[in-house]
Amino acid sequence: MNDPLPETAIAGISDLPVIEAIVEAAYRPYVARMGLLPGPMRDDYAAHVAAGRLRVLRDGQGVAGLLVLIPEATHMLLDNIAIAPRAQGRGYGRLLLDCAEAEARRQGFGVIRLYTHVTMVENVAIYRKRGYAETHRAEVNGLQRVYMEKPLP
């Protein structure tokens, strides 16, 4: 029997422990590379849940990933995507990127933006393949960020 297709849904407060565990597992490996805590490990996920900005991706085993989207004045900010280690390599990151872009379009945005740390070169490469272009680099709260954006047709 096949697992049901993964689905996204707005996160609830009961999802918070697994959300925080996924963020910890997904970003902990970057601590040594960066020499400090990545931005997503500093974030307030309860606030994102309360504001309705956090979606979870559920597969047959439960929450497999998360997506934080923040509508801004001129664009949608893709604030975070994280996949549980058990679910990596299944295309769930691509699925969440598709979801983010579709939601941005649904809300009437013509551009989606994101940022990642300069040491997360794998992420920069993934975003470039998806059509995101680097717009600039800047330091924010001690974090060296690469800013990227993608026009949405």
Side-chain angles (χ1 to χ4, degrees), residues 75-152:
H75 63 276
M76 179 67 79
L77 175 64
L78 193 170
D79 189 61
N80 189 8
I81 286 181
I83 305 298
R86 70 159 181 84
Q88 291 176 0
R90 296 184 187 172
Y92 290 172
R94 285 188 301 276
L95 196 149
L96 286 174
L97 275 171
D98 291 344
C99 177
E101 293 168 12
E103 182 61 19
R105 278 189 212 93
R106 190 188 73 72
Q107 291 191 32
F109 293 105
V111 174
I112 188 165
R113 294 182 179 158
L114 59 83
Y115 54 84
T116 189
H117 196 269
V118 296
T119 63
M120 297 181 181
V121 293
E122 307 90 345
N123 295 344
V124 172
I126 288 167
Y127 295 133
R128 281 194 177 121
K129 284 183 185 178
R130 287 290 303 235
Y132 289 78
E134 183 175 332
T135 59
H136 65 286
R137 294 180 180 218
E139 181 178 331
V140 178
N141 298 325
L143 299 167
Q144 301 294 323
R145 293 180 173 168
V146 178
Y147 288 81
M148 304 179 87
E149 72 176 26
K150 178 180 180 178
L152 299 170

